[in-house]
């Protein structure tokens, strides 16, 4: 292992290795910033170009992209409330309010640092669990997937920023949307209104772009002025205040990184689920949960650390079993196969050097992407000072083009537009958008895993309570549901409510 | 007599109630295995909507529900977004710009529509000068074309009139 690490380190300092890593970081940052694109698109786009490269160089390029996409996505999420990639959506909730308060530098500094440290923690975890990978991944079967999804859905109650009932309603609406399309359990199609486009269900990227980017642009278009309503501080000092905030909230960082790594390692869940769970966990453990959604720096640190840590975790099933943890990993699997590297337990024995090149590239790209982000942050915050009537049409245009580019389907553009209008109405009537997104992501997983579990146990419900991991997740779910209710009942108004 | 706290908020609850009922009725047409979860969600939505509506009436039950549901914390009357109440005319106009742009993309394509949309939005809605509007429209369109079509070979949607599907 040490020999392979040293060889990978040597490669990093050769002109070829360093160049491919740097190109990967720049591409990753660019694709991260552009709404609707992201790591999957970037790797898919560059995959054919790696064909004639040495495997080690290809790993440098791909590792560079993976590590940098998250940092790029957080910039757009904080400055424009437009998640560059789907997992960055959770960063919007507190990153954007901070930008509105003139603290964009603080948020970017914290996001970049949390992202780097989260990525490094994920990589350390990956190296540590390589010997016991198989046992960990095999712990999760359909009952655990169901309980995990149920826990995510019940976490809705915690992620509503005080709007408990309306959060649950948004969650229910999100579940309704998650039922649209082909149903893997029965093989039928539901709620498609006769549209073939909806057979694949509600596409996540157009839905997220609409709910966050388009709706926010409509909101700005109505309100006018600039994004920042107060004096902006994009100074070097405020950026480094963000760096310091991450170390001050080290528990949130570790918690987010642990969630990111674990969720990343579970095939089929991915970075978006990890980021949202990290956000709700940060809120649950915060001393000031009431300030979440209004610009709490912990709401940036939690999801950003999870977002980058998930890459280390997602590599575990990808490398060990050839089971991709996410769409990005599925494309990465293609790169491995293209280079004659068959994923599976033998990969680490036969091509240890290549794997360590990837791990090292992933670590180095996290650091380089953060340094670039920190250096340009003070200039990037100027975006928040631009007149919204200049910004709005440009962001809406780029959002629609990005959404179309993903699958080259005009239906995605229409869907983003519809979700944009829905998102704005949700803003106006104070229905939290975050809960709808969590339900939209987890609804399909919950339903599928539920029926798979019952099939496994010949209809016996006890399967959810007789397996230790499932039982632990079940208890955590009950805790998530009971906690806010107890909190609300115990909360006594200090004075009689005035006549409204 | 029961006094409503906020008619607009009750209206929102009624819309959710209608969605829940329609969804529940819609679920009935599918076989049991396909409709079990949707029916459950439909019923849950209806119950939640009824609680939301009841919580917005100034009764003892309403006050208790508001406290449990967290509606007082949400600050129905003091929320920052609610404090700035734009007219529905402005809201509808802002939404129509998006609807119009999507419809134009569908018919005329991304490349033909984007510069026109940016120019018209800035000049008409944003009341910017013709020169600034035209400059921004050209810069953004060129940046989109270079990034997506030229560098990464993503074809931009040509529009129904020009062969799009």
């Amino acid at each position: 292992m040490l020999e392979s690490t040293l060889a990978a380190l040597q490669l990093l300092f050769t002109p070829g290795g360093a160049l491919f890593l740097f190109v990967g970081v720049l591409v990753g940052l660019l694709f991260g910033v552009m709404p609707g694109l992201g790591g999957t698109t970037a790797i898919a786009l560059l995959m054919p170009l790696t064909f004639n490269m040495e495997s080690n160089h290809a790993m440098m390029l791909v590792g560079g992209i993976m590590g940098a996409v998250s940092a790029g996505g957080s910039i757009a999420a904080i400055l424009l409330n437009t998640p560059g990639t789907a997992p960055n959506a959770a960063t919007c909730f507190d990153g954007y309010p901070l930008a509105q308060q003139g603290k964009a530098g603080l948020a970017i500094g914290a996001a970049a640092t949390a992202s780097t440290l989260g990525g490094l923690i994920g990589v350390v975890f990956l190296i540590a669990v390589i010997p016991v990978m198989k046992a960990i991944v095999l712990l999760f079967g359909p009952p655990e997937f169901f309980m995990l999804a149920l826990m995510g859905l019940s976490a809705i109650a915690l992620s509503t920023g005080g709007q408990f009932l309306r959060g649950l309603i948004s969650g229910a609406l999100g579940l309704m949307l998650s039922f649209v399309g082909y149903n893997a359990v029965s093989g039928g199609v539901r709620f498609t209104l006769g549209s073939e486009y909806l057979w694949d269900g509600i596409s996540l990227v157009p839905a997220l772009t609409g709910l966050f980017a388009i709706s926010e642009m409509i909101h700005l278009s109505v309100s006018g002025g600039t994004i920042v309503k107060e004096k902006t501080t994009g100074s070097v000092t405020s950026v480094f205040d963000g760096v310091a905030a991450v170390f001050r909230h080290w528990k949130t960082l570790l918690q987010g990184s642990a969630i990111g790594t674990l969720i990343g390692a579970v095939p089929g869940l991915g970075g978006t689920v990890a980021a949202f769970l990290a956000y709700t966990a940060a809120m649950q453990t915060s001393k000031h949960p009431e300030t979440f959604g209004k610009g709490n720096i912990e709401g940036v640190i939690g999801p950003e650390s999870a977002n980058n840590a998930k890459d280390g975790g997602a590599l575990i099933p990808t490398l060990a079993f050839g089971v991709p943890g996410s769409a990005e990993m599925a494309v990465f699997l293609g790169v491995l196969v293209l280079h004659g590297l068959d994923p599976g337990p033998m990969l680490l024995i036969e091509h240890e050097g290549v794997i360590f090149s990837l791990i090292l590239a992933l670590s180095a790209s996290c650091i380089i992407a953060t340094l670039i982000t920190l250096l340009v942050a003070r200039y990037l915050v100027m975006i928040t000072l631009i007149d919204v009537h200049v910004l709005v049409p440009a962001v809406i245009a780029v959002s629609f083009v990005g959404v179309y580019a993903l699958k080259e389907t005009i239906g995605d553009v229409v869907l983003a537009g519809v979700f944009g209008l829905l998102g704005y109405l949700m803003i106006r009537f104070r229905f939290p958008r975050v809960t709808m997104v969590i339900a939209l992501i987890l609804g399909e997983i919950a339903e599928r895993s539920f029926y798979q579990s019952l099939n496994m146990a010949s209809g016996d419900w006890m399967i959810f309570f007789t397996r230790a991991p499932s039982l632990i997740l079940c208890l955590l779910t009950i805790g998530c549901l009971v906690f806010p209710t107890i909190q609300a009942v115990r909360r006594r108004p200090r004075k009689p409510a005035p006549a409204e | 007599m029961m006094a409503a706290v906020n008619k607009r908020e009750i209206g929102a609850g009624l819309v959710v109630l209608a969605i829940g009922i329609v969804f529940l009725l819609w679920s009935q047409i599918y076989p049991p295995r396909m409709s079990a979860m949707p029916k459950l969600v439909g019923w849950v939505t209806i119950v939640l909507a009824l609680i939301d509506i009841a919580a917005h009436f100034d009764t003892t039950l309403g006050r208790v529900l508001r406290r449990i549901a967290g509606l007082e914390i949400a600050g129905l009357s003091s929320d920052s977004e609610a404090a700035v109440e734009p007219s529905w005319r402005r809201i509808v106009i802002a939404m129509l710009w998006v609807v119009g742009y999507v419809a134009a993309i569908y018919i005329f394509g991304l490349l033909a529509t984007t510069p026109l949309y940016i120019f018209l939005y800035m000049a008409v809605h944003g009341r910017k000068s013709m020169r600034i509007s035209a400059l921004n429209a050209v810069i953004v369109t060129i940046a989109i074309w270079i990034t997506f079509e030229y560098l990464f070979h993503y074809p931009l949607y040509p529009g129904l009139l020009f062969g799009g599907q």
Side-chain angles (χ1 to χ4, degrees), chain B residues 62-80:
Chain B
R63 278 190 288 274
V64 171
L65 286 175
R66 278 204 294 281
R67 203 174 77 222
I68 294 173
L71 289 174
E72 283 181 346
I73 302 158
L76 283 176
S77 57
S78 59
D79 190 272
S80 59

Side-chain angles (χ1 to χ4, degrees), chain A residues 182-317:
Chain A
Y182 179 77
N183 178 231
V185 176
S186 62
V189 176
R190 299 176 293 187
F191 309 110
T192 56
L193 293 163
S195 160
E196 278 184 35
Y197 166 75
L198 290 174
W199 277 36
D200 286 338
I202 301 287
S203 298
L204 195 59
V205 174
L208 287 175
T209 306
L211 274 178
F212 296 104
I214 308 294
S215 65
E216 197 57 45
M217 289 306 120
I218 296 174
H219 187 54
L220 285 176
S221 178
V222 171
S223 62
T226 57
I227 289 176
V228 173
K229 308 296 179 200
E230 294 163 37
K231 189 172 175 275
T232 189
T233 50
S235 65
V236 175
T237 318
S238 72
V239 172
F240 281 96
D241 282 347
V243 177
V246 177
F247 291 100
R248 233 180 9 259
H249 298 287
W250 59 272
K251 283 181 188 167
T252 310
L253 172 81
L254 289 180
Q255 181 179 266
S257 304
I259 290 171
T261 313
L262 290 174
I263 299 292
V266 181
L269 290 183
T272 313
V273 177
F276 279 101
L277 283 181
Y279 181 81
T280 50
M283 185 195 288
Q284 191 183 7
T285 52
S286 172
K287 286 175 186 166
H288 305 287
E290 72 283 357
T291 59
F292 273 68
K294 294 169 188 164
N296 187 320
I297 199 70
E298 289 174 83
V300 174
I301 295 168
E304 276 304 314
S305 54
N307 196 358
N308 232 11
K310 64 112 181 25
D311 288 332
L315 278 171
I316 295 170

Side-chain angles (χ1 to χ4, degrees), chain A residues 41 166 186 222 387 430, chain B residues 9 34 73 90 121 128 154:
Chain A
T41 318
R166 293 242 156 141
S186 62
V222 171
D387 186 331
R430 286 171 289 277
Chain B
E9 300 293 338
M34 277 171 82
I73 302 158
R90 281 179 70 179
Y121 180 94
K128 302 286 167 211
Y154 281 117

Side-chain angles (χ1 to χ4, degrees), chain B residues 18-132:
Chain B
I19 291 171
I21 292 169
V22 169
F23 190 76
L24 188 63
L25 292 174
W26 198 356
S27 304
Q28 310 292 328
I29 64 170
Y30 298 109
R33 208 170 161 82
M34 277 171 82
S35 63
M37 288 268 181
K39 277 179 192 166
L40 178 70
V41 173
W43 278 116
V44 169
T45 309
I46 290 170
V47 172
L48 290 173
L50 288 172
I51 295 172
D52 189 78
I53 293 165
H56 284 93
F57 281 95
D58 198 14
T59 57
T60 310
L61 175 68
R63 278 190 288 274
V64 171
L65 286 175
R66 278 204 294 281
R67 203 174 77 222
I68 294 173
L71 289 174
E72 283 181 346
I73 302 158
L76 283 176
S77 57
S78 59
D79 190 272
S80 59
E81 282 173 3
V84 186
E85 285 284 357
S87 68
W88 274 100
R89 191 176 160 273
R90 281 179 70 179
I91 292 170
V92 170
I93 288 172
M95 286 181 157
L96 281 177
W97 275 102
V98 175
V99 174
Y101 182 40
V102 172
I105 290 173
Y106 191 67
I107 297 165
F108 303 108
L110 275 162
L111 212 54
T113 308
T114 298
L116 200 66
Y117 162 71
I118 295 172
F119 175 77
L120 287 176
Y121 180 94
M122 286 181 65
V124 179
H125 187 73
R127 293 181 185 169
K128 302 286 167 211
S129 73
M130 294 282 199
R131 208 175 59 173
I132 295 286

Side-chain angles (χ1 to χ4, degrees), chain A residues 354-420:
Chain A
V354 176
I355 299 308
F356 275 89
S357 296
L358 173 72
I359 291 172
L360 208 67
L362 199 60
S363 318
S365 70
C366 291
I367 299 166
I368 295 170
T370 296
L371 288 176
I372 294 174
T373 308
L374 291 177
L375 283 173
V376 299
R378 59 187 303 202
Y379 305 106
L380 288 171
V381 297
M382 302 309 255
I383 291 172
T384 58
L385 296 171
I386 297 173
D387 186 331
V388 293
H389 291 309
V390 176
L391 200 65
V392 165
V395 173
I396 287 181
V398 173
S399 297
F400 281 140
V401 174
V403 159
Y404 178 74
L406 203 66
K407 286 196 284 185
E408 292 172 24
T409 313
I410 189 65
D412 281 352
V413 176
V414 177
L415 191 71
V418 170
F419 270 87

